[in-house]
Amino acid sequence: MSRFKGFTLLELLVVIVIIGLLAGYVAPRYFSQIGKSEVQVARAQLDSLEKALDQYRLDNRHYPTGEQGLDALVNKPQGEANWGGPYLKKAVPADPWGRAYVYHVPGARGEFDLYSLGRDGKPGGNGEDADIGLAQQVTLNR
């Protein structure tokens, strides 16, 4: 006489509970790392954009205007005889949350402000929702 061997309902429930506990412990740690990496990517992109803006300034003796925006790093603006770009290998990247970086000339804290509004897309915020940016504070001697 053969007996069917298998798992009982109680054994399956215990395994499901253990998997649920492990997922509840690991998932928050994993997703917090993703948020930190997005902030690091934004900082790296801002650093790259700042270097491209500085190169633009060296060639043209000024930063792109607010109307020209960051697109001036890739496409030659009208009236820029000394433009030596493109200053970026690819198109201007979006921030890690899919939004355009904010560029203001003149900046509130320097010659230009360049920042991302963070995960929430709103000014201010804390943690991953905080604005990530820089202000260029070098002044040109004219």
Side-chain angles (χ1 to χ4, degrees):
M1 184 183 253
S2 68
R3 282 183 45 170
F4 292 105
K5 294 195 177 198
F7 296 106
T8 65
L9 181 60
L10 182 60
E11 290 170 331
L12 289 173
L13 288 175
V14 168
V15 169
I16 291 172
V17 167
I18 291 171
I19 292 172
L21 289 172
L22 287 173
Y25 178 73
V26 172
R29 291 175 183 256
Y30 172 74
F31 288 115
S32 71
Q33 292 301 320
I34 290 175
K36 288 178 187 175
S37 68
E38 288 173 332
V39 170
Q40 290 172 344
V41 167
R43 286 190 177 130
Q45 287 178 334
L46 285 166
D47 185 53
S48 175
L49 289 170
E50 178 186 26
K51 288 176 180 161
L53 284 164
D54 287 341
Q55 186 62 46
Y56 181 98
R57 179 177 162 252
L58 285 172
D59 289 348
N60 298 288
R61 302 188 48 83
H62 62 86
Y63 289 108
T65 65
E67 294 81 33
Q68 293 169 334
L70 296 175
D71 187 57
L73 299 174
V74 180
N75 300 307
K76 182 179 180 180
Q78 287 186 341
E80 295 292 355
N82 296 326
W83 190 83
Y87 300 98
L88 296 172
K89 291 181 181 180
K90 297 180 181 177
V92 177
D95 71 9
W97 301 277
R99 290 182 292 277
Y101 284 100
V102 180
Y103 174 69
H104 293 292
V105 173
R109 293 168 281 165
E111 287 191 81
F112 70 83
D113 291 341
L114 179 62
Y115 58 93
S116 166
L117 294 173
R119 182 180 65 183
D120 65 354
K122 299 176 186 173
N126 296 314
E128 295 170 31
D129 293 337
D131 297 349
I132 304 161
L134 54 94
Q136 182 66 4
Q137 305 210 359
V138 177
T139 56
L140 245 157
N141 296 327
R142 294 185 186 173

